[in-house]
Structure formats: C-alpha cells, structure tokens
Amino acid sequence: LVQNKLNYAVLQCIEGAGHEFKHETQMMLIKAAQFGKSFLPECDPEPYVRMCRILRVLNAVRDSKVGLPITYEQLQYLSLQSLLDLLMNRRQYYLAIQVAKYLQVPSSSSILSHWAHYKMQQSQLDHAQVAREIAAKLGRTAGVSYTEIAKKAADQGRTQLAIKLLDYEPRATLQVPLLLHLGQDMVALVKAIESGNTDLVYTVFLHLKENVQLAKFQLDIRKYPLGQSLYLKYCKEHNTRELRDVFTQEDDHESLAACFIHESYDPRNNGLHQAASLVAAQDSFKKARNDFHAGLCEKQLKLLKYQKTLEEKFNRDFVNKSLHDTMKMLLCMAQVKLAEGLRSEYKVPDRRYWWLRIQCLGETEEWVELDKFSKMKKSPIGYEPFVDICLKYKNIHEAQRYMSRVRDDQKVKYFVKLGMMDEARQTAMEQKDLDLLLYVQAKGGDSPETASLIASMSSGRK
C-alpha cells in the first residue's frame, strides 16, 4: 500500500522521533524507520544515523541532573556549538566534552579552557594545587594555550597562579614575554636560555637593561654561564663599554686587554684614542702578568708613533699598516735606510727581509739595484727568488744573470722555466739524474742523445 511512499514514510518516522520527548515513542519510531529502511536498497543511512546520535544527546541534556529540556527544533536553531556553550555555563564540562566527541565537534580545547577559567576562580585552593589540577586535566591538548589561561589568572589578580601555569607552557616564545610582564625577570631568562633561542635571550637582556640597574643585572647574569656567554657575545657586537665592565668585574685582565686591542683598530677611532687603547691594553696585560703581550703592545705603540712621523714626512698613509707593509712601502719608495732601521728595531729575520727587498726591487723594476743587492753578501734564501722575480716581470735576460748561482739540484728546473732546453738537458746529463732527464724530455727537451742516455740508465736500474 505504501510502496511508492516508503522512503517518505521512513524519513517521517526519523523526523517524528526527533520531536518526541518520551524514550518509548522515540524507540518505536526509530525501529519503524529501521524496519522500513530494510526494504529500500538505495536508502541513504545518514539521516537515520544522525538522528540516533542527536536523540542520545538530547536525552542526556534533558536529564534532571542537567536541566536543559531543549527541543529538536531549538537545537536546529541554536546549533550544536550553542548547546555546548549552555552546558559549559552550567558547568557540565564532562558532558560537554562527551557530546563534542560523540558528535565529532572540534570544541574540546575551548571546553577545557572554559573549565580552567572556572577552576582559577576557586580562590580557596592553593596556587600550586590549582595549577597541577589544570595541567593534569589539559595535558598537551591541541588548541589549549597555557599562556592564555595564565593571562586570565593575572587579570584576576592571581599572579602566582599565572606563574605556576606558565611552567606548563611548552612554547618559550609565548612563555617568556608574559613572565617578563609579570615581573619574573630571572625566571624568564632561565626559560629563554633553556629554549636555546638566542633571539629570545637577547629580548630578555634588553628588557632587563631597561628595567634593572646595570650593575645588578651584570651580577645576576653571572649565575648562568650560558647566559653570561650570550651576554658577552651581545656586548662584543653592540656595546664594548659594557663588555669592559664585565671583564673588570670578573678581574679577567687578559680578555679586557683583548677588548682594548680590538677597540684600538676600530676605524671609527682617531689616532689619540687608538694610542690610549693600546696603553690600556698594555696595563691590563701587566696586571695579568703577561709580559710577552705587554711588550708587544709597547712595540706597537712605538710603531704607531713612528708611522705618524712617516705620514707627516712623506704625506702617505702609513698609520695602521703592519710592520711588513710599512717596510715594503719604504723600500718601494727607495727609503732603504729607514727600512733597515725598522728591520733592526724590530729584529726582522734576514730571510724575511731578503724576500721583501727582492719583491720590492722587482715591483719597481730596479734591476741594477737587484744585482747589487745579490752581491752584498751570500743570500740566506738562495738565488732562486731572484730568478723568480725576474720571470714574474718578464725580464728573461736579467733572470739568466743569476743562473750560475742557483743550486745544482734546482738548475735543471730553472733552465726549463727560462726555456733554455739545451742547457737543461746538458745539466741533467752531466748530473746523470734519470728523473731530471725524464722531466726535461717531458717538457720538450728531447734529443737522440737524451733518449739513448735515458734508455741506458733505465736498463741499468733494472
């Protein structure tokens, strides 16, 4: 009789069950819908399943212990979220969470947060106890922010509770700023250090410098070695005056001296400040009983003073040049006596001075002077550098002048460098060195005589 209207009848039974308050009538209509559904092969089960879930929720909130006699039509108008809000207002938090889970509504975090705010209002309970209970209930629930709950506690005047709650906040970027706002400066510093976020640590430093006396801050930071290291790094980059204060407090004269030396080479400082910094560095090294470095500072002061004299005399930039560069400038300017004076004053080794003199004569292409210099006395670095400097500036003829004084074990290689293959081959044959003969042959100095000698020496080795 109802075959053509069976689907409509099933939907009407489902809809009717939603409008009933009696459990028995609801059950009868739901069973009737279930029975009719079995004769509909293409019937959508969603309305049936959804109504069963909604009826279970409505029956739960209509219970006398809850006291929400809400109808199906009212629920449709208010929405499920409003129902959860009503339950939270009645402090039915457990039921609200179960309803949210059952109907798959993502509201668990807001319900737990609402419960936490209610829990904070119980002023008769100890701060630590309330914080523990809240943390035990909330755990690591996604969407729950202990920082937001702590802010509410602070707004209600429960500062200590807010501090206890922040211990459970896993995100230091949220935790530290609120701790600073609550006046827990050193706790914030510890949390920032533990997080490993240097930017966060520097944020705490800036806050402390603005709100705490510098001397007290520097004393407090000493209790935290990692924080002290980060503070020193910050001072090196942004405030060397505070860095000196820290080293002075620690009686770290070595580091204080290094700080003064670094300042002496700051391009923003003038000559007077540079000299004063070097004097201060020398005094600090003396206090540290480091006579060697104190002596180096004294020598640098002498060099700086001498460089200023040279600047005034020659109108060239000498100040802040190294000893090597100062001597090189003087040699290139043909001021050999002044360079010799520096060499003697600072005990420059002969080998280093000869290298420098050869380079300068080559750069200025003073070949006659280079020849004179080579004959002054026996070269402590050999005569190969003389050949090299001539080759560097493409003066082959001048380079050949020094070949007679090149060491025997280097002559073949230097003849090859000069392109004198016959002389290279002849020297290698005279020395009867198979490796040198092979080297000459590889560089293009082959000849029948060379090949025969190589074959003979190779067979002799076998």
Side-chain angles (χ1 to χ4, degrees), residues 366-410:
E366 296 287 344
W367 306 118
V368 176
E369 292 297 324
L370 182 65
D371 183 48
K372 290 181 180 179
F373 181 63
S374 70
K375 296 175 181 177
M376 287 179 60
K377 65 177 184 178
K378 185 178 179 180
S379 171
I381 58 174
Y383 292 90
E384 293 80 9
F386 288 85
V387 181
D388 287 331
I389 201 69
C390 293
L391 289 173
K392 181 178 179 181
Y393 294 99
K394 298 180 174 55
N395 193 334
I396 304 298
H397 176 73
E398 192 67 29
Q400 293 173 355
R401 186 191 298 273
Y402 304 99
M403 283 304 299
S404 61
R405 287 179 279 178
V406 171
R407 295 195 307 269
D408 290 341
D409 60 334
Q410 296 291 322

Side-chain angles (χ1 to χ4, degrees), residues 114-171:
H114 196 284
W115 170 81
H117 296 155
Y118 160 70
K119 194 71 176 177
M120 289 187 303
Q121 296 172 3
Q122 299 177 359
S123 57
Q124 73 278 9
L125 298 179
D126 179 64
H127 298 306
Q129 180 184 351
V130 173
R132 285 194 300 270
E133 291 181 7
I134 291 175
K137 184 71 70 176
L138 271 58
R140 298 297 183 194
T141 304
V144 174
S145 172
Y146 285 95
T147 301
E148 293 299 324
I149 299 171
K151 283 181 181 178
K152 293 286 185 180
D155 292 341
Q156 295 175 10
R158 304 196 69 181
T159 304
Q160 292 302 315
L161 175 58
I163 296 169
K164 296 290 184 183
L165 287 170
L166 284 174
D167 287 337
Y168 300 98
E169 174 58 62
R171 292 166 293 182

Side-chain angles (χ1 to χ4, degrees), residues 13-14 16-32 51-65 68-70:
C13 287
I14 294 172
H19 292 280
E20 289 293 333
F21 269 71
K22 290 184 178 181
H23 295 180
E24 295 80 6
T25 307
Q26 292 174 357
M27 186 64 69
M28 180 186 68
L29 291 171
I30 288 297
K31 285 185 175 181
M51 183 55 72
C52 289
R53 289 178 176 276
I54 289 175
L55 283 175
R56 187 173 181 183
V57 170
L58 287 173
N59 291 333
V61 300
R62 288 168 182 170
D63 188 271
S64 58
K65 295 179 181 179
L68 268 178
I70 188 172

Side-chain angles (χ1 to χ4, degrees), residues 408-413 415-416 420-441 445 449-450 453-454 457:
D408 290 341
D409 60 334
Q410 296 291 322
K411 277 188 177 181
V412 172
K413 293 183 179 179
F415 275 131
V416 171
M420 302 169 68
M421 304 308 296
D422 292 338
E423 288 81 354
R425 182 171 57 251
Q426 185 64 32
T427 303
M429 291 171 64
E430 290 175 358
Q431 295 181 6
K432 296 182 180 181
D433 191 319
L434 179 59
D435 292 332
L436 288 177
L437 285 168
L438 291 171
Y439 174 75
V440 173
Q441 187 181 47
E449 188 179 359
T450 304
L453 185 57
I454 289 174
M457 294 179 70

Side-chain angles (χ1 to χ4, degrees), residues 94-107:
Y94 178 77
L95 180 59
I97 291 175
Q98 296 305 313
V99 169
K101 289 180 180 178
Y102 188 65
L103 297 180
Q104 299 178 352
V105 179
S107 299

Side-chain angles (χ1 to χ4, degrees), residues 191-373:
K191 297 295 184 182
I193 293 171
E194 290 175 352
S195 72
N197 187 333
T198 53
D199 291 337
L200 200 58
V201 176
Y202 289 152
T203 300
V204 178
F205 286 162
L206 293 174
H207 174 85
L208 292 174
K209 287 174 64 178
E210 293 176 359
N211 296 276
V212 180
Q213 289 185 351
L214 183 60
K216 182 179 184 305
F217 165 66
Q218 290 175 345
L219 286 173
D220 290 340
I221 198 69
R222 293 172 65 185
K223 302 174 185 176
Y224 310 99
L226 181 57
Q228 174 85 331
S229 299
L230 290 172
Y231 177 60
L232 293 178
K233 181 182 177 182
Y234 172 82
C235 291
K236 285 179 183 178
E237 296 174 357
H238 300 95
N239 196 325
T240 54
R241 181 176 297 177
E242 289 185 16
L243 184 64
R244 293 200 304 267
D245 291 343
V246 174
F247 290 146
T248 301
Q249 284 185 354
E250 299 287 338
D251 289 332
D252 188 352
H253 301 296
E254 292 273 0
S255 298
L256 184 59
C259 186
F260 281 124
I261 290 174
H262 181 76
E263 285 184 15
S264 70
Y265 288 99
D266 191 332
R268 295 171 294 181
N269 294 333
N270 55 33
L272 292 175
H273 191 279
Q274 184 179 23
S277 297
L278 285 172
V279 170
Q282 183 182 6
D283 292 339
S284 296
F285 278 129
K286 287 180 178 178
K287 290 178 181 178
R289 298 180 180 178
N290 189 333
D291 297 332
F292 175 74
H293 285 102
L296 290 179
C297 289
E298 184 178 359
K299 289 181 179 180
Q300 183 61 28
L301 280 166
K302 287 182 180 179
L303 179 61
L304 181 63
K305 184 178 180 180
Y306 187 66
Q307 286 173 337
K308 291 178 181 178
T309 304
L310 292 175
E311 275 197 0
E312 294 172 358
K313 183 176 181 179
F314 296 107
N315 198 24
R316 297 277 296 272
D317 291 333
F318 281 92
V319 174
N320 289 332
K321 299 287 185 182
S322 66
L323 175 63
H324 179 91
D325 290 341
T326 303
M327 291 173 61
K328 184 176 181 180
M329 288 180 66
L330 289 172
L331 289 171
C332 289
M333 295 166 59
Q335 299 294 327
V336 180
K337 289 186 178 180
L338 295 178
E340 289 279 358
L342 282 176
R343 173 195 178 188
S344 176
E345 174 73 22
Y346 292 95
K347 300 178 181 178
V348 178
D350 283 348
R351 291 177 60 85
R352 179 179 172 186
Y353 179 75
W354 273 68
W355 272 107
L356 183 59
R357 184 77 187 276
I358 291 169
Q359 290 174 7
C360 292
L361 289 171
E363 285 182 18
T364 56
E365 298 186 355
E366 296 287 344
W367 306 118
V368 176
E369 292 297 324
L370 182 65
D371 183 48
K372 290 181 180 179
F373 181 63

